[in-house]
Amino acid sequence: MYFPNFGNSDLQPEKSRNLELGLLGAIGKVGYEVNVYRNWYRDLIGSDSSTFLLINVDKARITGTELILKFNTGVFHHQLDYTYLDPRNKVTGKVLTYRSWNMAKWQIDFPIRSWNLHSDILWKGHQFSSSTNRLSSYLTVNLAAIYQAGSVLKISGPIDNLFDREYQTVAEYAALVFKLT
């Protein structure tokens, strides 16, 4: 709110209501979840693409559908997620910025005693940073080794963006990428 040259002391806290319906079950050895939801916002905190200042969006609505599948192949645990969003400014009817309409993720875990070897492939569809500037979709592969050291301590060593893909989640800023040299 008060960051020099970018703050907005008139910023109001968000208010929201949510309605969600979910279905959880299994077909054979495949677990599934299907969730549909709608969030209504007043004073949603967003950004003005022309000034880069944080602003309140008077009224907004985000409608979403989510599908999650869980299954095992041998010692590997898999989870596939897909999310579809329709994020809208209710006053202008325009799409809200910085929200991908489509997202998918495939997680694979390989537990070995106190260790878990984890990988995920993440795909995010395009999103808008303004009414005219569209950020491209991207795909990243991430790896991690996680050690459970006791009941409360977990140590992890992640490698994000293994194949060094260039992508943007915010206009004018390139993502920080991992580089092997």
Side-chain angles (χ1 to χ4, degrees):
M1 288 178 64
Y2 305 105
F3 191 75
N5 301 321
F6 291 100
N8 179 352
S9 60
D10 294 328
L11 208 56
Q12 298 297 310
E14 292 179 344
K15 298 171 204 77
S16 67
R17 290 181 299 130
N18 172 273
L19 178 64
E20 183 170 345
L21 177 64
L23 180 63
L24 174 70
I27 298 173
K29 295 184 178 186
V30 178
Y32 65 85
E33 291 180 45
V34 179
N35 302 299
V36 292
Y37 53 90
R38 181 166 281 179
N39 299 324
W40 294 270
Y41 295 92
R42 285 198 173 273
D43 297 324
L44 176 74
I45 296 174
S47 62
D48 182 331
S49 60
S50 61
T51 64
F52 302 107
L53 294 177
L54 292 178
I55 59 167
N56 286 115
V57 176
D58 291 335
K59 292 181 183 179
R61 183 200 73 220
I62 298 176
T63 302
T65 304
E66 183 176 64
L67 173 63
I68 301 168
L69 300 174
K70 296 178 182 181
F71 58 95
N72 296 328
T73 55
V75 295
F76 296 97
H77 304 295
H78 301 266
Q79 181 170 320
L80 299 168
D81 301 349
Y82 172 75
T83 303
Y84 171 79
L85 291 181
D86 182 12
R88 298 274 172 187
N89 180 320
K90 292 300 291 173
V91 175
T92 66
K94 293 183 179 181
V95 173
L96 295 172
T97 57
Y98 297 114
R99 287 173 172 81
S100 295
W101 289 12
N102 294 282
M103 294 170 280
K105 188 177 198 180
W106 179 15
Q107 296 177 187
I108 303 171
D109 288 291
F110 178 55
I112 309 168
R113 296 188 186 145
S114 297
W115 287 88
N116 182 39
L117 302 178
H118 172 84
S119 69
D120 64 65
I121 300 170
L122 172 66
W123 174 77
K124 286 189 112 179
H126 73 269
Q127 60 185 343
F128 290 91
S129 65
S130 69
S131 59
T132 58
N133 189 19
R134 179 177 146 164
L135 300 176
S136 297
S137 61
Y138 63 90
L139 180 121
T140 60
V141 176
N142 308 303
L143 301 174
I146 304 156
Y147 179 71
Q148 187 71 44
S151 61
V152 295
L153 179 62
K154 189 183 288 187
I155 302 168
S156 66
I159 300 173
D160 291 335
N161 195 9
L162 179 65
F163 297 111
D164 195 23
R165 300 288 185 210
E166 289 189 22
Y167 63 93
Q168 282 186 300
T169 57
V170 177
E172 310 301 324
Y173 294 96
L176 198 59
V177 294
F178 178 83
K179 294 186 185 267
L180 289 173
T181 53

